[in-house]
Amino acid sequence: MLPLQKNTHRGRERHGEEEREKQMFGLCLMEASDKHAGLPASRLTPDSGFDPPHQSDTRTIYVANRFPQHGHYIPQRFADNRIISSKYTVWNFVPKNLFEQFRRIANFYFLIIFLVQLMIDTPTSPVTSGLPLFFVITVTAIKQGYEDWLRHKADNEVNGAPVFVVRSGSLVQTRSKNIRVGDIVRVAKDETFPADLALLSSDRADGTCHITTASLDGETNLKTNFSVAETAVCQSVSQLEALQAVVECQQPDADLYRFVGRITVTQHGEEIVRALGQENLLLRGARLKNTKEIFGVAIYTGMESKMALNYKCKSQKRSAVEKSMNTFLLIYLGILLFEAVLSTILKYAWQAEDKWDEPFYNQKTEQERNSSPILKFISDFLAFLVLYNFIIPISLYVTVEMQKFLGSFFIGWDLDLYHEESDQKAQVNTSDLNEELGQVEYVFTDKTGTLTENEMHFRECSINGVKYREVNGKLAPEGMTDDSPDGSTPHLTGDELLFLQAVALCHTVQISYDQPDCPVGGGDPFSHANGFSSSHMEYYASSPDEKALVEAAKRIGVAFTRCSGETMEIKTFGKSEKYKLLHLLEFDADRRRMSVILQTPSGGKVLFTKGAESAILPFTTSGEIEKTRLHVDEFALKGLRTLVVACRHFSPEEYIDVEKHLNAARTALQQREEKLQEAFAYIERDLQLLGATGVEDKLQDKVQETIEALRLAGIKVWVLTGDKHETAVSVSLSCGHFHRTMNILELLQQRSDNECAEQLRRLDRRIKEDHVIQHGLVVDGASLSLALREHEKLFMEVCKNCSAVLCCRMAPLQKAKVVRLFKTSPEKPITLAIGDGANDVSMIQEAHVGIGIMGKEGRQAVRNSDYAIARFKFLAKLLLVHGHFYYIRIATLVQYFFYKNVCFITPQFLYQFFCLFSQQTLYDSVYLTLYNICFTSLPILVYSLFEQLVHPHVLQNKPGLYRDISKNSLLSFRTFLYWTLLGFLHAFIFFFGSYILMGEDTTLMGNGQVWPFLHTQDMYFVFVQLLSSGSAWFAIIIIIITCLFPDVVKKVFYRHLQPTSTQTSQMYSNRVAIGDDFIALQPLSRAKSQLGKIR
């Protein structure tokens, strides 16, 4: 919105400030060094051999690694410049991966079962548990190894990038990973910095350079960095080679905005000490802009760079399906233990009779007769546990992981989620949350750059109480058209000209020339309409608003054309005017305004200031204050972003007083920030109001339709923004978040807890009284803080009864707090956060599902998100179609896995009643092994990747279908119980159906041959022989029909009497699909009429 960064034009106070800062930084560093090294400050010189230990507060860096030549010096050890984002190495992959996999309950359980099979005599071979376990572990290890290989590959690309380093008097090309602390590195225009560098010099005479830190903090504005005067002159390799300098600074920390250090330069035997601050440090990952080349000394390298220290391990997000899955596993573990205990007890009950305890055909050995009954009971219990252990589906985890991993490709392949203009497709950063897209109940969205384009266009302004619009590059009062002939110089009044000069000068905009070889001073590249041409010049601004205003002033005729050192130049209709920048009063979030103090061409001193209307209007004493206030409110109601512009002319005496206050504050060694705030407040008063500006941030395409679709799907949408509430409400109305018929409630400007509580109670009563109509709530950041502090439950009650909520003037952490508030509420709804800037990262990481917009505010949000899309409109298909499909597929997959294992192992349990609980297995070992691995896993995996219950177009056109799967309905306990009972029913039918149909028929093979496997207990060729028998086929068909009949009857009954919306739409989509196929074969005229009938 307003500049947050210091500008190149620091003003005359810079040198005086440096002299005092160096003393403060130097004293801090010396005290820290003395404390750890035990050396007096007077002896702390670059050549004293001082080497603070690594755990000290400081590090000493010799520029170009020119170490002291005496023998006492031992160089400090620093990290190399390799970036490591991978998890494993070749040496630790196997132990580390195995440790992580066996932390899973199911894997650890099967490992125990496998070990039990090895240790005691069990009815099944250890291979039956060991092989599936080996398969699951191997597949998971391959997947995780592949993902880590991709990370290694990305690391190698970064670490192997070519860089230029000054070594042995020449510029040497090497790889990024070979940079050492102390190396002098050369970086060219548009390259990223390979390490954290202290700027030594640039191709500019003043030693400054411009950078963008979009990849670090999401800010796309151009920032200015400085070098100290003693190194700024070293612009060649030979000069840098001769440079003798030592940098002392703090140890690395993660704070991007803090750096404390000093540089000692030795010139002609004299040591010159200069302070180093954040403006001298070039951070790794930032990009050099608008500067041909720079030289810097490496301060922090590799994993000690500030970017690496800001790598945040995102907390592991677990989907609702995974939580349900773990619950079901515990229930089935209970069933397993129950069956094992029951079988063990029944075995001993049965063996109470002597004839069954030791029958003639199975005499006990002496050791068995003398063994401990307790040990035998435990051994039998473990044997039954092994026999029934396949009720726990071992391959469930690996199949689910494969389904999620392979299924995630469909998002990237979806052409409907591809944005052609920016050539960006949807991106999946984690596949673990695919099904969560189908369970979202709350969407928390940013406004700027997410609902809007973040492309600012100047629309209107108010000058001295009169509203103006831009018409054909000229200012026209409201209601008037521009009738002046093209090419003529427009006439501006004094007020209009002063206003445009303020807009053209009060900023931190930088200029880049597209043709650097074209001399700016020689010739006049600005000869066009209004005296300018934009072909050679491009503005880099601290915010899109600022850039839009400077460009608008240029189009109208007052162009900012050059900034160098302390000089700012503008051209008013071709006439050049030079202003001297005396002081820059930087923007900060508390003041919410920024100012410049200039010396005009005539020698006068003037202050121009701009900021939010609440930060400017209270300090104005002249001008059309009330009219401008009305105009600002009108601009805000139209959805425009507003700024107010004012000025103050100083007399010579007043300016001397102002400079005294500023210098005193800027050179203070203690409480400098507070004193600067007091000085700024003293200067920015008694202002003359010049006017206000209105800049439009255009809505993204199809935002209104997307929000409406989400609302119809039962999803509540919250907009969280930092804008003022009038602008935010206007945008909410224009994008359909608020309806015109909606009753808008406000919780704004609450000053105390009691006042906030009373207002919340009033809103609650009003909602209950007017429960028929829809309500929308507007909250500002200050009121929200009060509401969350003491009245959380009441606030939640009000919010839940509102159809839409808008939070304005929100800080980034407040956004995350709101999301956490709903995540942890008793209902525990599934939340989704979507944003495009670094200020949205905390909210994106806090929500169950985080979505980044590939916008204009850097890639921070995208990198920290679970999914990334190019436009907000793609959210509808991502949730309503992909989310719907993913949830139904994974829910069916999970339920089927438990069902099939119940079907498989229950006959084993029933068989024990027919074999005196002798722990005989019903299945061959090979069949036991392959049942879970491929016989039943692969078909359901294919189903769970491609199944589409309803046509995607129907899901998108009927958002209400999303409600059918909400609140994890397909994995509810009732549904789980139905699938489990169905499994037991089918198992009984399998077992007793086979027993009844085939149990008495020993001549089943049709050729008089008895069962072929009775002699060997092997099942080789059994299926081949069975399936050549007509009676076997008859039995299979009868059993299958008997199993499916109850389920089919139930489904038909419910579909006709109580159909869900999805089932109704299935019939509709089938009609449309059949109709489309039929229509495709008709002549064009007949096809149109057929289509009309079906639609």
Side-chain angles (χ1 to χ4, degrees):
M1 301 251 302
L2 282 176
L4 299 174
Q5 186 61 31
K6 297 179 182 178
N7 193 271
T8 314
H9 321 300
R10 297 266 300 180
R12 291 186 304 184
E13 77 280 1
R14 176 164 170 77
H15 295 296
E17 182 183 341
E18 273 185 354
E19 291 301 317
R20 288 157 183 81
E21 277 187 340
K22 76 180 179 186
Q23 296 169 16
M24 182 178 68
F25 291 141
L27 284 170
C28 293
L29 285 162
M30 285 180 180
E31 285 171 11
S33 303
D34 296 345
K35 181 173 64 178
H36 292 278
L39 291 174
S42 59
R43 289 175 55 197
L44 191 61
T45 63
D47 296 320
S48 66
F50 170 66
D51 179 30
H54 188 69
Q55 65 268 24
S56 72
D57 295 337
T58 65
R59 57 167 51 187
T60 304
I61 300 154
Y62 291 87
V63 176
N65 289 309
R66 200 172 285 106
F67 301 118
Q69 297 303 310
H70 57 74
H72 301 294
Y73 179 76
I74 302 172
Q76 284 181 268
R77 296 175 63 88
F78 302 114
D80 60 26
N81 201 39
R82 285 180 300 169
I83 286 291
I84 302 170
S85 62
S86 53
K87 196 173 182 180
Y88 308 107
T89 65
V90 174
W91 309 110
N92 72 9
F93 175 73
V94 172
K96 193 172 182 180
N97 187 264
L98 286 176
F99 173 74
E100 289 175 351
Q101 290 207 56
F102 284 118
R103 288 167 68 185
R104 277 185 166 172
I105 295 172
N107 290 348
F108 184 71
Y109 162 77
F110 272 93
L111 178 65
I112 296 298
I113 292 294
F114 175 63
L115 294 175
V116 167
Q117 285 179 294
L118 289 175
M119 288 187 293
I120 68 169
D121 182 22
T122 56
T124 57
S125 165
V127 174
T128 57
S129 293
L131 194 62
L133 179 63
F134 176 76
F135 173 77
V136 168
I137 294 295
T138 304
V139 170
T140 306
I142 289 170
K143 173 181 174 282
Q144 292 178 350
Y146 171 72
E147 290 175 347
D148 202 61
W149 175 77
L150 292 178
R151 285 191 284 267
H152 272 284
K153 191 177 174 184
D155 288 347
N156 290 337
E157 283 182 18
V158 173
N159 296 330
V163 294
F164 287 93
V165 178
V166 176
R167 284 182 185 159
S168 304
S170 62
L171 207 56
V172 179
Q173 183 173 345
T174 184
R175 295 181 183 276
S176 175
K177 64 182 180 183
N178 297 328
I179 294 175
R180 298 169 297 170
V181 170
D183 279 346
I184 298 176
V185 183
R186 172 191 174 265
V187 180
K189 183 180 178 183
D190 291 328
E191 290 181 354
T192 56
F193 300 113
D196 289 351
L197 311 174
L199 181 60
L200 294 177
S201 66
S202 72
D203 64 318
R204 298 165 180 253
D206 58 0
T208 61
C209 71
H210 303 306
I211 65 169
T212 59
T213 57
S215 61
L216 292 170
D217 54 15
E219 294 179 11
T220 54
N221 56 301
L222 214 62
K223 298 180 173 69
T224 304
N225 283 62
F226 307 90
S227 58
V228 298
E230 286 70 26
T231 63
V233 295
C234 302
Q235 295 184 328
S236 67
V237 173
S238 57
Q239 288 175 307
L240 289 164
E241 182 65 20
L243 178 65
Q244 291 187 9
V246 181
V247 175
E248 290 165 281
C249 62
Q250 65 190 94
Q251 292 290 3
D253 66 10
D255 190 345
L256 293 174
Y257 306 105
R258 181 175 179 270
F259 175 68
V260 178
R262 66 176 182 177
I263 183 168
T264 305
V265 183
T266 305
Q267 289 183 348
H268 311 298
E270 182 187 356
E271 291 182 355
I272 303 167
V273 182
R274 295 284 183 230
L276 294 178
Q278 179 55 35
E279 68 274 11
N280 306 109
L281 190 68
L282 305 169
L283 298 178
R284 177 175 190 142
R287 189 178 292 274
L288 183 65
K289 287 291 204 183
N290 201 15
T291 309
K292 187 178 177 183
E293 67 175 16
I294 65 98
F295 289 96
V297 58
I299 302 294
Y300 306 126
T301 51
M303 299 308 291
E304 290 185 341
S305 63
K306 288 183 179 285
M307 182 184 77
L309 293 172
N310 272 276
Y311 285 154
K312 184 180 178 185
C313 294
K314 292 188 287 185
S315 58
Q316 186 66 33
K317 295 182 179 180
R318 294 171 62 219
S319 68
V321 169
E322 192 177 340
K323 292 171 186 172
S324 300
M325 208 161 71
N326 291 338
T327 305
F328 297 161
L329 272 173
L330 291 174
I331 292 172
Y332 269 63
L333 194 61
I335 294 173
L336 169 65
L337 292 172
F338 171 74
E339 287 184 350
V341 170
L342 180 63
S343 298
T344 309
I345 293 170
L346 288 174
K347 177 180 180 177
Y348 281 92
W350 203 280
Q351 289 180 352
E353 297 182 43
D354 290 337
K355 64 175 182 177
W356 299 123
D357 183 36
E358 194 174 348
F360 70 92
Y361 55 83
N362 191 15
Q363 294 291 316
K364 291 182 180 179
T365 63
E366 194 64 33
Q367 184 181 356
E368 286 176 333
R369 289 194 185 97
N370 297 328
S371 62
S372 166
I374 295 173
L375 288 176
K376 186 144 181 36
F377 184 90
I378 293 171
S379 176
D380 284 329
F381 169 74
L382 290 175
F384 279 117
L385 206 63
V386 168
L387 194 64
Y388 303 147
N389 81 83
F390 280 93
I391 197 171
I392 304 293
I394 184 172
S395 55
L396 173 61
Y397 279 120
V398 72
T399 310
V400 165
E401 277 197 16
M402 287 174 67
Q403 192 272 346
K404 289 180 176 183
F405 177 69
L406 296 173
S408 64
F409 286 103
F410 290 114
I411 291 178
W413 291 338
D414 191 343
L415 290 177
D416 290 339
L417 302 182
Y418 170 72
H419 190 244
E420 195 169 357
E421 292 173 25
S422 59
D423 189 28
Q424 289 172 326
K425 63 179 183 178
Q427 182 179 315
V428 179
N429 295 331
T430 174
S431 58
D432 293 337
L433 303 170
N434 293 343
E435 66 277 7
E436 207 81 329
L437 295 170
Q439 295 295 295
V440 174
E441 296 173 61
Y442 283 87
V443 168
F444 298 91
T445 174
D446 178 39
K447 181 182 76 67
T448 306
T450 305
L451 301 178
T452 62
E453 290 282 8
N454 203 14
E455 283 184 3
M456 309 300 173
H457 299 281
F458 175 77
R459 288 288 176 253
E460 296 183 64
C461 65
S462 169
I463 304 174
N464 201 27
V466 180
K467 283 201 287 186
Y468 293 82
R469 299 177 66 85
E470 184 188 354
V471 181
N472 298 326
K474 294 165 188 166
L475 273 186
E478 190 178 45
M480 293 181 61
T481 57
D482 180 50
D483 299 325
S484 60
D486 290 342
S488 63
T489 303
H491 174 70
L492 295 178
T493 66
D495 291 333
E496 294 168 350
L497 188 59
L498 185 60
F499 175 81
L500 290 173
Q501 286 173 339
V503 169
L505 290 165
C506 185
H507 54 72
T508 57
V509 169
Q510 303 296 328
I511 301 174
S512 174
Y513 298 97
D514 292 342
Q515 301 175 359
D517 296 333
C518 173
V520 180
D524 187 7
F526 310 108
S527 53
H528 197 53
N530 290 349
F532 315 104
S533 167
S534 60
S535 59
H536 305 307
M537 198 166 57
E538 185 180 355
Y539 292 126
Y540 285 95
S542 60
S543 71
D545 309 63
E546 209 166 51
K547 183 179 178 183
L549 291 175
V550 174
E551 286 177 341
K554 178 184 171 186
R555 288 193 302 271
I556 294 165
V558 181
F560 173 56
T561 57
R562 191 186 306 174
C563 61
S564 58
E566 299 175 353
T567 303
M568 298 180 75
E569 185 177 339
I570 62 171
K571 285 196 175 183
T572 307
F573 304 108
K575 181 185 175 184
S576 178
E577 296 179 358
K578 291 185 179 179
Y579 290 78
K580 186 176 182 182
L581 178 64
L582 302 172
H583 295 282
L584 171 69
L585 280 56
E586 296 91 351
F587 172 86
D588 64 67
D590 295 326
R591 282 166 50 242
R592 294 172 54 221
R593 61 183 180 267
M594 65 87 62
S595 304
V596 291
I597 301 177
L598 304 166
Q599 181 175 310
T600 64
S602 60
K605 307 294 191 299
V606 64
L607 173 135
F608 289 126
T609 185
K610 71 177 179 191
E613 87 287 349
S614 58
I616 301 284
L617 293 180
F619 304 100
T620 55
T621 55
S622 61
E624 295 289 346
I625 298 172
E626 291 307 316
K627 284 184 180 179
T628 304
R629 196 192 303 273
L630 287 172
H631 290 167
V632 167
D633 291 340
E634 287 177 29
F635 294 164
L637 288 173
K638 292 177 184 176
L640 303 181
R641 295 160 69 94
T642 59
L643 287 172
V644 174
V645 183
C647 73
R648 178 183 175 187
H649 294 275
F650 296 113
S651 66
E653 294 79 14
E654 285 176 328
Y655 179 71
I656 292 169
D657 187 39
V658 163
E659 195 164 49
K660 186 177 74 175
H661 274 81
L662 263 182
N663 286 335
R666 281 192 161 136
T667 55
L669 289 176
Q670 295 179 341
Q671 297 181 329
R672 182 181 299 180
E673 293 298 325
E674 291 83 352
K675 290 180 179 178
L676 276 174
Q677 292 297 323
E678 291 172 7
F680 290 170
Y682 177 77
I683 296 165
E684 295 167 330
R685 60 189 176 89
D686 301 331
L687 301 173
Q688 175 191 344
L689 182 61
L690 299 179
T693 61
V695 175
E696 180 187 37
D697 190 0
K698 184 184 171 188
L699 274 180
Q700 285 189 18
D701 189 30
K702 293 188 177 177
V703 167
Q704 189 164 357
E705 294 90 331
T706 303
I707 289 178
E708 186 58 32
L710 295 177
R711 186 176 284 121
L712 291 172
I715 300 171
K716 289 191 175 183
V717 180
W718 283 45
V719 176
L720 312 178
T721 178
D723 267 352
K724 60 177 292 188
H725 99 270
E726 293 89 354
T727 305
V729 168
S730 176
V731 172
S732 283
L733 286 166
S734 61
C735 73
H737 180 237
F738 284 165
H739 289 302
R740 298 286 172 186
T741 56
M742 196 179 277
N743 182 24
I744 308 296
L745 308 173
E746 292 185 343
L747 183 66
L748 302 170
Q749 297 176 348
Q750 304 301 306
R751 303 296 180 192
S752 65
D753 283 335
N754 293 335
E755 187 183 340
C756 182
E758 187 55 40
Q759 177 66 5
L760 281 170
R761 291 189 195 99
R762 279 197 295 268
L763 295 177
D764 192 39
R765 283 196 300 270
R766 191 169 168 187
I767 290 170
K768 288 173 180 174
E769 290 167 4
D770 302 333
H771 61 275
V772 178
I773 61 172
Q774 289 187 325
H775 299 276
L777 178 66
V778 184
V779 192
D780 63 10
S783 304
L784 182 71
S785 296
L786 292 171
L788 295 183
R789 190 189 306 163
E790 299 287 340
H791 318 291
E792 202 172 277
K793 288 184 180 178
L794 187 56
F795 177 69
M796 285 282 290
E797 190 66 30
V798 171
C799 290
K800 285 176 183 174
N801 291 323
C802 291
S803 304
V805 180
L806 168 66
C807 299
C808 52
R809 292 299 190 208
M810 294 280 284
L813 283 177
Q814 281 185 311
K815 293 182 179 183
K817 280 183 182 176
V818 170
V819 176
R820 194 182 308 122
L821 177 69
F822 274 82
K823 263 180 70 177
T824 55
S825 64
E827 294 82 9
K828 296 199 176 347
I830 303 299
T831 58
L832 180 148
I834 179 169
D836 72 318
N839 58 330
D840 303 314
V841 168
S842 55
M843 171 177 77
I844 286 170
Q845 289 183 335
E846 184 64 46
H848 291 95
V849 182
I851 296 186
I853 296 284
M854 302 169 189
K856 296 181 175 63
E857 293 193 26
R859 309 286 289 185
Q860 193 84 336
V862 171
R863 284 205 313 274
N864 286 277
S865 65
D866 303 306
Y867 303 88
I869 52 179
R871 287 293 180 269
F872 182 79
K873 66 179 179 181
F874 296 151
L875 184 63
K877 185 166 189 188
L878 192 65
L879 298 186
L880 304 183
V881 178
H882 288 286
H884 198 111
F885 284 156
Y886 283 134
Y887 178 72
I888 286 177
R889 290 166 181 170
I890 201 80
T892 309
L893 173 71
V894 170
Q895 297 282 29
Y896 177 78
F897 254 87
F898 287 105
Y899 155 81
K900 75 180 178 62
N901 279 38
V902 167
C903 289
F904 181 59
I905 221 66
T906 303
Q908 180 77 73
F909 174 68
L910 296 174
Y911 181 59
Q912 296 308 303
F913 287 89
F914 291 82
C915 68
L916 295 180
F917 296 93
S918 59
Q919 299 156 358
Q920 288 297 305
T921 177
L922 185 62
Y923 305 111
D924 183 73
S925 295
V926 176
Y927 188 69
L928 275 170
T929 304
L930 295 179
Y931 179 81
N932 268 321
I933 292 178
C934 58
F935 290 166
T936 53
S937 293
L938 295 180
I940 190 63
L941 176 62
V942 174
Y943 172 93
S944 64
L945 286 173
F946 299 107
E947 170 62 10
Q948 295 186 358
L949 262 72
V950 188
H951 196 279
H953 293 310
V954 177
L955 287 175
Q956 213 161 353
N957 294 332
K958 293 190 171 184
L961 300 181
Y962 194 83
R963 295 172 184 259
D964 284 355
I965 60 168
S966 62
K967 297 190 182 297
N968 205 13
S969 58
L970 299 186
L971 283 174
S972 63
F973 186 75
R974 181 181 172 184
T975 314
F976 166 72
L977 194 62
Y978 170 76
W979 276 83
T980 303
L981 292 176
L982 200 64
F984 279 114
L985 173 64
H986 290 179
F988 274 80
I989 294 172
F990 296 158
F991 185 82
F992 289 107
S994 303
Y995 180 74
I996 293 167
L997 291 172
M998 298 185 283
E1000 302 299 325
D1001 185 5
T1002 56
T1003 62
L1004 184 64
M1005 304 314 296
N1007 56 5
Q1009 184 182 355
V1010 185
W1011 294 88
F1013 54 84
L1014 290 177
H1015 303 295
T1016 62
Q1017 286 293 312
D1018 288 329
M1019 295 183 72
Y1020 305 128
F1021 300 107
V1022 169
F1023 287 133
V1024 175
Q1025 295 181 55
L1026 276 177
L1027 298 182
S1028 64
S1029 165
S1031 43
W1033 276 106
F1034 175 74
I1036 290 170
I1037 292 168
I1038 288 293
I1039 288 172
I1040 289 174
I1041 290 174
T1042 307
C1043 284
L1044 295 180
F1045 184 74
D1047 203 38
V1048 170
V1049 169
K1050 172 189 169 288
K1051 281 194 163 84
V1052 170
F1053 179 78
Y1054 273 98
R1055 270 178 178 266
H1056 282 81
L1057 294 183
Q1058 292 180 327
T1060 63
S1061 305
T1062 305
Q1063 289 166 349
T1064 307
S1065 298
Q1066 282 176 324
M1067 293 185 281
Y1068 166 78
S1069 63
N1070 290 338
R1071 277 184 60 209
V1072 171
I1074 294 167
D1076 287 347
D1077 293 339
F1078 175 69
I1079 288 166
L1081 303 173
Q1082 307 299 314
L1084 184 61
S1085 57
R1086 197 183 306 167
K1088 287 181 178 176
S1089 63
Q1090 290 284 351
L1091 186 62
K1093 290 177 185 175
I1094 289 179
R1095 297 286 192 255

